[in-house]
């Protein structure tokens, strides 16, 4: 059995609490021969700023490059609102994504049957939902230059962000989208704003050309991103895989999260290019939810998105599909038993804390594996 090197980055807010449940799971899998994981840990975000005056250290960048996968909690919080922009907690995460070239951010939104009541939408709209938002993660307005605030000297300031995309950036993420769709229901929806943005015009053109060249067997559809947002809450089951840019993807994936009952349910995988020699690719796995400072330290956070993110690492980085399935089934089983963290509670269910939910999921794994 191969040993997998993991870099664990708990981060800020509820990050360390939900990461504790992944650590428990890793220890259990190591102990029971379900995997061999070697773990190291690092500070990134506000906690790193407090300790070292920067949001990420060079030695952490080096560890991240050497790891087989990075398992990331969450960063940020009001405590660091006044920190210099370059050292704000989010900068550490953005640097990891950018410098490690992890351009393809896979955010599956799956509505577990037991949770259809927790969504703010009607049951028949979300029950059985299984879609993927594929977000471009290393380009667009997040990283485009210039990115400035200039004092105009007349009591006015001017802020500039730049949305920029090159052909190759659009093509490589679209390719991931077509390939994902092929293994699922064979439909890809591309979202942009070609009616107002040049990047939208190019996005549409590149996706259309790639489809004609390499993926004619996959159904391709284009939607304007605003209309797509509306369709996502009107009838989300029309989608299979949605591919979109960095900023639209950030927003649409939060919307998609709520379809599943809670932001606390959504995992994600951020992948780089596959190295043709080693067949390996850089990868970071993190929940879509943030650091939730309002509930941090209370032991109330939902660890499911974090645990499901670890399951994605098994699936996408280590070829451990069977073990990943086992984790997903254990999550569904714990929910089916009526266990809920506060964010997904509904009538007739039992509210438990972070640790109890983590232990219950491991308990279900033990039962299912036996
Ligand atoms: C996300 C988060 C991040 C983003 C923040 C923390 C920088 O909202 O991963 O969705 O905007 O990408
Ligand atoms: Mn976000």
């Amino acid at each position: 059995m191969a040993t997998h090197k993991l870099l664990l980055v708990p981060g800020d807010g509820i990050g360390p609490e939900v990461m504790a449940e992944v650590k428990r799971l890793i220890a259990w899998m190591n102990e029971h021969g379900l995997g061999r994981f070697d773990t190291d840990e690092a500070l990134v975000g506000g906690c790193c700023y407090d300790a070292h005056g920067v949001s990420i250290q060079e030695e952490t960048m080096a560890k991240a490059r050497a790891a087989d996968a990075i398992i990331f909690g969450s960063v940020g919080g009001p405590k660091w609102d006044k920190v210099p922009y370059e050292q704000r907690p989010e900068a550490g995460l953005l640097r990891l994504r950018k410098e490690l070239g992890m351009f393809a951010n896979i955010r599956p939104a799956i509505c577990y049957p037991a949770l259809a009541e927790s969504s703010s939408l009607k049951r028949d709209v979300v029950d059985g939902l299984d879609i993927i938002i594929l977000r471009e993660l290393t380009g667009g307005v997040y990283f485009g230059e210039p990115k400035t605030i200039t004092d105009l000297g007349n009591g006015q300031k001017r802020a500039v962000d730049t949305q920029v995309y090159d052909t190759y950036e659009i093509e490589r993420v679209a390719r991931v989208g077509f390939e994902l769709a092929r293994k699922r229901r064979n439909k890809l929806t591309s979202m942009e704003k070609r009616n107002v943005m040049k990047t939208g015009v190019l996005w549409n053109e590149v996706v259309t050309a790639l489809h004609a060249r390499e993926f004619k067997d996959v159904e391709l559809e284009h939607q304007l991103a605003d209309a797509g947002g509306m369709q996502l809450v009107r009838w989300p089951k029309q989608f299979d895989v949605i591919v979109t840019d960095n900023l639209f993807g950030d927003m649409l994936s939060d919307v998609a999260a709520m379809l599943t009952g809670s932001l606390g349910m959504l995992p994600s995988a951020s992948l780089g290019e596959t190295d043709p020699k080693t067949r390996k690719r850089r990868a970071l796995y993190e929940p879509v939810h943030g650091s939730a400072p309002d509930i941090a330290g209370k032991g109330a956070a939902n660890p499911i998105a974090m645990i499901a993110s670890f399951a994605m690492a098994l699936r996408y980085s280590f070829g451990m599909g069977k073990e990943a399935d086992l984790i997903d089934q254990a999550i569904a089983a714990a929910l089916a038993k009526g266990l809920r963290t506060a964010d997904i509670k509904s009538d007739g269910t039992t509210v438990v804390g972070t640790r109890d939910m983590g232990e219950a999921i491991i308990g279900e794994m033990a039962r299912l594996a036996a």
Side-chain angles (χ1 to χ4, degrees):
M1 202 187 294
T3 301
H4 304 299
K5 260 170 58 185
L6 302 175
L7 178 64
L8 308 182
V9 182
D12 307 319
I14 60 170
E17 293 165 59
V18 293
M19 186 67 79
E21 299 316 309
V22 165
K23 287 190 204 162
R24 191 190 309 285
L25 176 55
I26 291 171
W28 185 85
M29 288 182 73
N30 275 340
E31 217 171 278
H32 290 80
L34 264 73
R36 235 162 54 197
F37 302 102
D38 216 350
T39 62
D40 196 354
E41 219 171 300
L43 296 178
V44 174
C47 55
C48 186
Y49 180 81
D50 290 345
H52 306 291
V54 291
S55 60
I56 189 163
Q57 293 180 286
E58 296 309 321
E59 65 173 270
T60 302
M61 289 302 300
K63 280 182 184 177
R65 285 198 182 87
D68 295 321
I70 304 158
I71 312 291
F72 199 94
S74 54
V75 288
K79 181 178 174 199
W80 300 285
D81 276 351
K82 300 241 150 55
V83 163
Y85 186 79
E86 285 64 37
Q87 296 307 338
R88 72 196 188 290
E90 291 78 5
L93 172 60
L94 295 177
R95 184 169 171 207
L96 275 172
R97 288 175 179 172
K98 183 75 178 173
E99 286 189 21
L100 272 60
M102 298 177 293
F103 64 91
N105 182 218
I106 303 171
R107 301 189 155 187
I110 294 170
C111 184
Y112 293 89
L115 281 192
E117 296 305 332
S118 302
S119 173
S120 48
L121 298 180
K122 296 196 184 83
R123 171 180 272 279
D124 69 311
V125 175
V126 297
D127 198 5
L129 181 75
D130 175 4
I131 62 173
I132 288 181
I133 311 272
L134 173 62
R135 168 185 176 193
E136 198 292 323
L137 202 62
T138 52
V141 76
Y142 271 64
F143 298 100
E145 296 287 348
K147 197 175 191 60
T148 51
I149 300 182
T150 319
D151 200 325
L152 299 180
N154 57 353
Q156 296 283 306
K157 291 181 185 173
R158 177 170 296 154
V160 178
D161 290 292
T162 305
Q163 164 88 342
V164 45
Y165 272 111
D166 290 357
T167 303
Y168 79 94
E169 294 177 285
I170 303 169
E171 194 169 290
R172 66 183 178 182
V173 73
R175 179 171 281 112
V176 172
F178 283 119
E179 281 165 359
L180 280 172
R182 254 184 194 158
K183 291 191 201 133
R184 297 165 46 90
R185 298 187 298 280
N186 216 33
K187 179 176 171 187
L188 182 68
T189 306
S190 169
M191 292 189 188
E192 30 61 18
K193 283 281 288 178
R194 63 187 177 282
N195 52 348
V196 230
M197 300 168 77
K198 290 292 184 187
T199 48
V201 172
L202 183 65
W203 186 282
N204 184 281
E205 201 177 286
V206 171
V207 176
T208 304
L210 179 66
H211 176 246
R213 255 191 353 259
E214 296 178 30
F215 296 97
K216 279 215 186 77
D217 56 301
V218 181
E219 182 193 343
L220 171 65
E221 172 193 54
H222 299 280
Q223 288 190 9
L224 294 172
D226 55 343
M230 180 273 287
Q231 291 295 341
L232 206 48
V233 287
R234 190 185 71 82
W235 190 246
K237 289 181 204 169
Q238 70 186 278
F239 298 112
D240 179 14
V241 180
I242 296 171
V243 64
T244 190
D245 77 13
N246 204 342
L247 184 62
F248 292 144
D250 182 42
M251 300 182 54
L252 293 171
S253 60
D254 267 32
V255 173
M258 217 33 232
L259 303 172
T260 70
S262 163
L263 205 46
M265 298 298 298
L266 232 70
S268 91
S270 306
L271 307 176
E273 212 89 67
T274 306
D275 183 317
K277 280 201 204 100
T278 60
R279 306 298 307 155
K280 281 190 181 179
R281 64 199 317 189
R282 290 259 158 73
L284 180 148
Y285 299 87
E286 61 177 319
V288 170
H289 65 67
S291 57
D294 50 322
I295 59 163
K298 296 185 179 154
N302 185 348
I304 292 179
M306 186 75 250
I307 291 173
S309 297
F310 178 67
M312 286 188 88
L314 302 187
R315 203 181 295 287
Y316 288 98
S317 283
F318 307 136
M320 296 172 68
K322 225 179 70 213
E323 291 76 8
D325 287 344
L326 185 64
I327 296 177
D328 289 337
Q329 286 159 12
I331 291 171
L335 292 170
K337 273 199 167 154
L339 299 182
R340 300 283 189 277
T341 41
D343 55 312
I344 48 174
K345 69 169 184 242
S346 59
D347 289 346
T349 59
T350 311
V351 176
V352 297
T354 312
R355 178 174 183 157
D356 285 344
M357 183 58 95
E359 285 180 345
I361 291 168
I362 293 173
E364 291 302 323
M365 280 181 74
R367 194 177 59 76
L368 289 163

